[in-house]
Amino acid sequence: VIIVDPRTHSAHKDVFDAANRDLRYGGIAYNAFAGVIFGLGSLSWGGFPGHTLDNIGSGIGQVHNTYMVENVQKSVVYAPFRMLLGISQPWFPDHKTTKQMALALSRYTINPSLIGLFKTLFHALRG
């Protein structure tokens, strides 16, 4: 996880590009909980390629990669430094409706529907 505001990211873009290139992790999250990469499902999740049992590094193997992109090294996710309207991000401990959002998301996962999606978003945006 890398936490950075937009001004700093723009001023030092070359440093962050180098970090994306050189960090040997299977997932990098900017301003987000790294579990978001796993939760999205379509991105690859796991260790950076080339690690062994003798040098485990960030892990061995990957899961997900729904679109079956070949030779994936890592997934990188960018999130806003601050959510719009001062809303807390759903994975932050100060989010006010985490329980309701998690229940709505679970119900939506079991039985996907437009109404279920809106209920999940409603609780996520009330945080």
Side-chain angles (χ1 to χ4, degrees):
V1 174
I2 299 172
I3 306 295
V4 60
D5 66 277
R7 197 171 313 152
T8 302
H9 188 268
S10 294
H12 303 284
K13 187 167 179 5
D14 55 332
V15 172
F16 293 101
D17 287 345
N20 284 345
R21 182 187 64 244
D22 297 339
L23 285 172
R24 303 191 72 68
Y25 293 99
I28 300 171
Y30 283 85
N31 301 325
F33 168 55
V36 169
I37 299 169
F38 179 85
L40 288 170
S42 58
L43 301 176
S44 66
W45 172 263
F48 188 85
H51 291 128
T52 65
L53 288 176
D54 294 328
N55 181 12
I56 202 74
S58 66
I60 297 175
Q62 295 179 334
V63 296
H64 296 179
N65 190 10
T66 304
Y67 300 108
M68 299 173 70
V69 177
E70 293 184 25
N71 303 315
V72 173
Q73 289 189 344
K74 64 184 84 176
S75 295
V76 181
V77 170
Y78 295 88
F81 183 66
R82 289 198 176 135
M83 296 291 282
L84 297 174
L85 309 172
I87 298 167
S88 177
Q89 295 184 13
W91 48 85
F92 278 15
D94 66 341
H95 191 273
K96 296 177 184 77
T97 59
T98 300
K99 181 178 178 182
Q100 296 92 331
M101 181 197 61
L103 288 170
L105 179 59
S106 296
R107 290 182 181 121
Y108 174 72
T109 302
I110 292 167
N111 186 17
S113 70
L114 197 54
I115 291 172
L117 176 63
F118 286 129
K119 285 181 180 179
T120 303
L121 292 174
F122 172 74
H123 292 300
L125 294 174
R126 286 185 27 212

